Amino acid sequence: MNNSRVISLVLDLHKPFVRHPEMDQAQEERWFFEALSDTYLPLLEVFDRLDAEHIPFKIALSLSPTLCHMLRDEYLLERYLKYVDRQIEFGVRELERTAGEDEIHRLALNFYDQAVEKRVLFTERYEGNILRGFDHYQRKGRVELLTTAATHAFLPLYSNYPEAIQAQFETAIASHRILFGKNPHGFWLPELGWSPEMDRYLRAYNFSYTIVDTHSLCMEDHPESRGSFYPVKTPAGVFILARDFYAGRELEEAKFACHMDPLYRDYLRDAGFELPTEALSSFLEANGARKATGYKYWASGNNQIYDPQKALERVKAAASSFLDARISRFNSVAEYMDGCPISLCAYNADLFGRFWYEGPAFIEALYREGAHRTGLQFMNPAEYLYKQDASGFRTAMPEFSSWGVNGYGEMWLDASNDWLYRHALRSLERMIELAERFPDDTGLKERALNQAAREILLVQCSDWPKMLYKQENTLYARNQVEAALRNFTTIYESLGSNYISTEWLTSLERRHNIFPTVNYRVFRHKR
């Protein structure tokens, strides 16, 4: 181990809870469908190929409880299959339309084949449950599964409300245990949002480690002399690993490159926005608005037709350069190290496939190339920590940080979104009040209290303030927050008047059916 250099790849797989059975086709549900088709299934295909060829790979995946629920929701999965079927149906028409255009016809056939393969893979190999695939590789020791806060809340903003943080932790742990049969070693801080208060919660819930952004370690009072290349231990005994700043920046540049590189596929140009409306049929909104079909024929930054083979060669070169850069960084810090250095490469999983089409191929190329690099190993965080001498870890308290804009909390609290916290915190206080006032209720009242807990958890999702900050899907984000607040308030007032509409509550339970085993008592004071 002493002569080794370790790379640990960690991906955050998360989607906010989006579910609209009241609508024929909800545009926002496509976020989930696209991630499933373009990122999650391709990742499993990469694992299958590497495993079949006995190429060693280790990767850690943080699976958010909201995403896990959506991946098991029969209604959403039925809609997902309809989405894939529309792509297949569209592909049949595209093969006819492009019959005289050799290059585009080959691409249309390629995208059509991929859609068919994904449907078969999803329905037959995984029987509609891709969590089994991730768990399979976890049991083989290839994949480490982490959990995160129940609704991916930006936890530092709730540090004055321990009941909120304990509800996020306990609901997440219960969900993970039901799905995978054991507690995870690591906890992914949503948006890498760390504050010193997190230390005691991580210890209380028996998590071995968490991950912070680079500056959290490098800018504390007594910076770790080994920078982000070696863990530290908090006063409570939680191990802290820091994200490799340069590895993060290099792939952020790759994300930019996938919109500009003349060989990568253009994410934005889609046949659904270019063909005549009569050729689109099922890819039109009810109001005639166009939607992406997944058939993207153009390379980025020019008018050239996309060439998958040239893009694959570019990806292989990019993976080799990425490993060269990691080794170069290891060499530059060697004189400061007295332990085995680690480059922890943490990313949003959507980068690989959904936004950067060649992303899964990049991950596969990393492992294939890395297998031939002497002195370089891929490890999961828990495995790496297990193999270190923990007595050599310095005790330190990382600084408040995130991986958001400018590295702190402004993305989740600024003039664009600060209004929501006034209402969210007032409702949270009322939820705590309800949990204390009705500690032992059963029947209809318990159902109402559990639904109130779901609504409060949904309000705390970090995606809504982030969308408001970035001015993306702002109306939808605001509606999601306001709807959950209204639902909670209705329940609160109904409990106060001792009258609950069974019909209304049942309808809400069916729409917001997340966390079926939630217990509202998680919001009680801990004594």
Side-chain angles (χ1 to χ4, degrees):
M1 265 307 273
N2 290 336
N3 296 323
S4 295
R5 286 87 177 274
V6 172
I7 294 177
S8 187
L9 184 58
V10 185
L11 303 184
D12 176 29
L13 280 67
H14 164 66
K15 283 289 165 285
F17 180 70
V18 173
R19 186 177 188 274
H20 295 287
E22 74 282 5
M23 302 169 62
D24 288 337
Q25 291 187 37
Q27 176 65 20
E28 292 76 17
E29 289 177 354
R30 288 173 60 89
W31 305 337
F32 170 65
F33 302 156
E34 289 175 0
L36 181 48
S37 272
D38 299 342
T39 294
Y40 310 150
L41 285 170
L43 274 177
L44 284 168
E45 290 182 281
V46 167
F47 300 164
D48 289 343
R49 286 192 294 270
L50 293 173
D51 188 59
E53 297 178 40
H54 306 289
I55 295 172
F57 72 94
K58 299 288 182 72
I59 190 169
L61 306 176
S62 167
L63 297 173
S64 77
T66 50
L67 174 63
C68 288
H69 176 82
M70 293 164 73
L71 286 170
R72 300 292 294 126
D73 187 287
E74 290 183 5
Y75 155 79
L76 282 173
L77 298 183
E78 181 181 335
R79 282 207 169 177
Y80 167 69
L81 289 177
K82 290 180 180 177
Y83 165 79
V84 177
D85 287 342
R86 287 196 297 273
Q87 287 187 319
I88 294 170
E89 176 191 339
F90 180 76
V92 171
R93 295 198 303 272
E94 278 296 273
L95 290 174
E96 294 175 359
R97 184 186 71 83
T98 62
E101 306 172 68
D102 289 347
E103 288 181 288
I104 290 184
H105 184 77
R106 281 195 295 271
L107 283 174
L109 179 60
N110 182 44
F111 298 147
Y112 169 80
D113 287 343
Q114 286 179 6
V116 172
E117 288 168 7
K118 284 170 185 173
R119 197 187 200 289
V120 171
L121 188 68
F122 182 77
T123 56
E124 296 185 12
R125 169 147 194 178
Y126 298 112
E127 299 177 334
N129 182 5
I130 68 165
L131 294 177
R132 289 180 184 170
F134 293 132
D135 191 37
H136 169 74
Y137 285 109
Q138 175 181 235
R139 293 173 187 274
K140 294 191 75 168
R142 297 298 186 186
V143 171
E144 180 186 351
L145 298 181
L146 293 75
T147 192
T148 185
T151 53
H152 214 255
F154 188 70
L155 296 175
L157 296 182
Y158 295 94
S159 57
N160 290 331
Y161 291 86
E163 298 83 4
I165 296 178
Q166 75 193 25
Q168 288 282 344
F169 269 82
E170 291 180 21
T171 305
I173 292 167
S175 173
H176 192 92
R177 190 185 297 124
I178 289 169
L179 289 170
F180 303 110
K182 64 179 184 178
N183 292 346
H185 294 290
F187 185 87
W188 175 271
L189 293 163
E191 317 292 358
L192 294 192
W194 165 271
S195 64
E197 293 83 3
M198 295 302 107
D199 188 19
R200 64 188 178 95
Y201 293 105
L202 291 164
R203 181 73 282 160
Y205 290 107
N206 204 32
F207 286 102
S208 301
Y209 74 91
T210 193
I211 297 164
V212 298
D213 209 9
T214 319
H215 58 289
S216 190
L217 278 191
C218 296
M219 297 182 69
E220 51 126 346
D221 289 342
H222 304 286
E224 167 60 52
S225 62
R226 292 165 289 192
S228 63
F229 292 90
Y230 206 65
V232 299
K233 182 172 59 176
T234 68
V238 178
F239 300 130
I240 303 290
L241 293 156
R243 187 183 185 217
D244 185 330
F245 170 79
Y246 291 97
R249 187 173 70 176
E250 285 165 26
L251 283 205
E252 281 301 309
E253 290 172 354
K255 181 179 178 181
F256 176 75
C258 75
H259 296 295
M260 298 299 293
D261 191 296
L263 294 184
Y264 290 148
R265 193 180 79 164
D266 192 327
Y267 168 71
L268 298 175
R269 284 189 70 176
D270 187 282
F273 304 115
E274 300 187 350
L275 294 180
T277 55
E278 58 268 20
L280 299 174
S281 63
S282 58
F283 283 98
L284 289 175
E285 300 278 5
N287 62 4
R290 295 165 174 265
K291 293 187 292 189
T293 64
Y295 286 71
K296 303 173 190 289
Y297 300 126
W298 304 99
S300 296
N302 57 39
N303 257 343
Q304 298 299 312
I305 294 174
Y306 176 65
D307 186 329
Q309 190 57 43
K310 289 182 179 178
L312 180 60
E313 293 304 315
R314 175 64 58 88
V315 159
K316 290 178 179 177
S320 181
S321 296
F322 183 86
L323 292 178
D324 288 342
R326 304 283 68 70
I327 292 171
S328 175
R329 295 292 299 169
F330 283 134
N331 291 339
S332 68
V333 301
E335 62 181 288
Y336 304 103
M337 300 294 298
D338 56 359
C340 174
I342 181 172
S343 170
L344 192 139
C345 309
Y347 308 100
N348 184 329
D350 276 12
L351 171 60
F352 301 94
R354 185 173 175 224
F355 296 133
W356 180 21
Y357 179 67
E358 296 80 7
F362 174 84
I363 289 177
E364 183 171 351
L366 273 184
Y367 291 115
R368 291 183 181 277
E369 175 73 15
H372 304 294
R373 300 287 184 111
T374 303
L376 194 65
Q377 293 186 65
F378 287 97
M379 286 189 189
N380 293 327
E383 178 189 7
Y384 170 81
L385 290 167
Y386 177 77
K387 292 183 176 180
Q388 304 309 303
D389 178 6
S391 65
F393 295 174
R394 188 173 65 84
T395 299
M397 179 59 78
E399 287 293 310
F400 170 68
S401 60
S402 80
W403 70 359
V405 171
N406 296 324
Y408 297 98
E410 69 180 79
M411 181 175 276
W412 296 276
L413 180 60
D414 87 330
S416 66
N417 52 36
D418 58 0
W419 59 269
L420 72 85
Y421 293 100
R422 179 173 71 256
H423 304 292
L425 295 179
R426 177 59 179 145
S427 295
L428 172 59
E429 291 167 354
R430 288 180 165 183
M431 183 67 237
I432 297 167
E433 172 202 327
L434 290 177
E436 293 295 326
R437 194 185 347 154
F438 303 108
D440 303 309
D441 281 82
T442 58
L444 183 63
K445 190 175 286 186
E446 183 178 33
R447 281 175 53 194
L449 288 162
N450 285 339
Q451 192 60 41
R454 292 185 188 100
E455 302 301 321
I456 289 298
L457 290 169
L458 290 172
V459 167
Q460 295 169 2
C461 174
S462 66
D463 298 81
W464 313 137
K466 181 163 65 174
M467 289 178 191
L468 292 168
Y469 177 89
K470 296 170 73 174
Q471 297 296 296
E472 296 175 354
N473 306 291
T474 53
L475 180 60
Y476 182 77
R478 188 179 188 104
N479 286 342
Q480 290 297 96
V481 172
E482 291 178 347
L485 288 169
R486 278 196 306 272
N487 293 335
F488 171 80
T489 301
T490 300
I491 295 172
Y492 179 81
E493 292 175 350
S494 296
L495 291 168
S497 64
N498 206 29
Y499 171 75
I500 302 170
S501 169
T502 306
E503 182 180 355
W504 177 85
L505 179 60
T506 301
S507 174
L508 180 58
E509 287 172 329
R510 288 173 178 167
R511 281 185 287 121
H512 287 183
N513 64 348
I514 195 168
F515 308 132
T517 62
V518 72
N519 188 325
Y520 71 92
R521 298 170 186 86
V522 294
F523 283 98
R524 294 195 69 190
H525 296 302
K526 286 285 189 287
R527 294 178 175 84

